Amino acid sequence: QVLLVQSGAEVKKPGASAKISCKASGYSFTSYGLHWVRQAPGQSLEWMGWINVGNDNTKYSQKFQGRVSITRDTSASTIYMELHSLRSEDTALYYCARDLGRSAGNFHFWGQGTLVTVSS
Amino acid sequence: EIVMTQSPATLSVSPGERVTLSCRASQSVRNNLAWYQQKRGQPPRLLIYDTSTRATGIPSRFSGSGSGTEFTLTISSLQSEDLAVYYCQQYDNWPPMYTFGQGTKLDVK
C-alpha cells in the first residue's frame, strides 16, 4: 500500500532553517508528484509547493517563494522540504501528500505530519 | 489568489441526518474541486475530487456536486464516524496556487 513516512518533530529558533523528509513506498516513486501542505494550530490547510519527482521540476506558492526548497533523492524514494528564515508564524504541522498523477493538484495520500515549532 | 469560502463554519448534526456543506470560489475553478475530511490528530483524507468523483474506499453516502464557483458536499445519512472537519480545495491554477477553504466542523447536536 502507499505509505508516506515523514521525519520527526523539530524545534527551531527564529531565523534558523528546518529540513523535513518524506519517504515514499508502495508505488512507483517517479510516476507521481508530491506536495507539501502545512497546518498551523487550529487553522486550515495551506499549500506550499510541489515537485514532479520524475523530472525534478518544482513550483512554489508565491507566499513561500525564495524561502522554501523542495528536493528529491530518487535512490532513497525520499523528498525533502527546507524552509529558511523561520519565524514564530511558521509553527505548524507540515504534511507531504501524493498527487493523483504528476500534477493533478489533488492529494490522494498523506504523510503523518511533522510538527515544526519555532520558538526562542 | 482564489479564495475558497465554506459555510457554515460549524454544523450541529444528529446521526441519520442528511448533511449539506457548501463551498464557494472567488472565481471559477471549473470542476477542479476536492473535498477532504480531517479528524482530530489525523492527516486529511481525500473524499471527493473533480467535484464529484469519490476517492478509493469512500462510502457512497458521500457525494459532491457543483461547478464554476458553487460546490456542495452531501452526506446522505450521517454516521457517528463522520464527525470531523471538512475542507474544500481548488486546483484550477497553473502555475499552481492551490487553496483551501477554512473548513466546516460537524459536531453532535
Side-chain angles (χ1 to χ4, degrees), chain B residues 32-90:
Chain B
N32 297 311
L33 191 286
W35 291 93
Y36 301 84
Q37 175 193 69
Q38 187 176 33
K39 298 180 180 179
R40 183 177 295 275
Q42 296 184 16
R45 172 193 180 196
L46 178 69
L47 299 175
I48 301 284
Y49 63 99
D50 293 349
T51 298
S52 59
T53 303
R54 275 190 300 276
T56 303
I58 301 304
S60 58
R61 65 179 181 273
F62 292 93
S63 63
S65 63
S67 68
T69 61
E70 301 283 345
F71 300 90
T72 299
L73 174 70
T74 300
I75 308 173
S76 60
S77 178
L78 188 86
Q79 307 297 302
S80 58
E81 62 263 31
D82 301 335
L83 297 175
V85 180
Y86 292 81
Y87 296 99
C88 62
Q89 176 236 341
Q90 67 79 20

Side-chain angles (χ1 to χ4, degrees), chain A:
Chain A
Q1 77 279 26
V2 175
L3 275 179
L4 300 173
V5 179
Q6 299 181 222
S7 49
E10 300 193 7
V11 179
K12 297 292 183 180
K13 294 196 181 302
S17 298
K19 188 171 184 178
I20 303 167
S21 67
C22 171
K23 183 173 177 58
S25 62
Y27 70 95
S28 173
F29 181 61
T30 56
S31 296
Y32 295 86
L34 284 164
H35 303 259
W36 288 95
V37 176
R38 78 177 187 180
Q39 187 171 36
Q43 302 300 309
S44 181
L45 300 156
E46 184 173 35
W47 179 79
M48 299 180 69
W50 159 87
I51 184 167
N52 179 336
V53 182
N55 65 11
D56 206 23
N57 187 25
T58 53
K59 296 291 184 187
Y60 303 114
S61 166
Q62 289 180 342
K63 176 175 178 177
F64 301 101
Q65 194 81 38
R67 207 161 66 93
V68 69
S69 174
I70 301 175
T71 56
R72 64 171 185 172
D73 179 349
T74 55
S75 67
S77 297
T78 299
I79 66 165
Y80 304 87
M81 189 280 295
E82 188 165 22
L83 188 60
H84 304 280
S85 303
L86 289 167
R87 34 211 188 228
S88 58
E89 310 89 89
D90 295 317
T91 294
L93 200 50
Y94 289 78
Y95 294 103
C96 62
R98 202 201 80 175
D99 200 285
L100 170 65
R102 287 200 162 85
S103 58
N106 45 69
F107 315 127
H108 283 237
F109 298 94
W110 294 69
Q112 82 276 19
T114 296
L115 180 62
V116 174
T117 303
V118 183
S119 174
S120 55

Side-chain angles (χ1 to χ4, degrees), chain B residues 3-5 23-30 66-71:
Chain B
V3 177
M4 307 301 292
T5 303
C23 175
R24 174 177 292 177
S26 61
Q27 65 189 71
S28 176
V29 298
R30 297 180 289 175
S67 68
T69 61
E70 301 283 345
F71 300 90

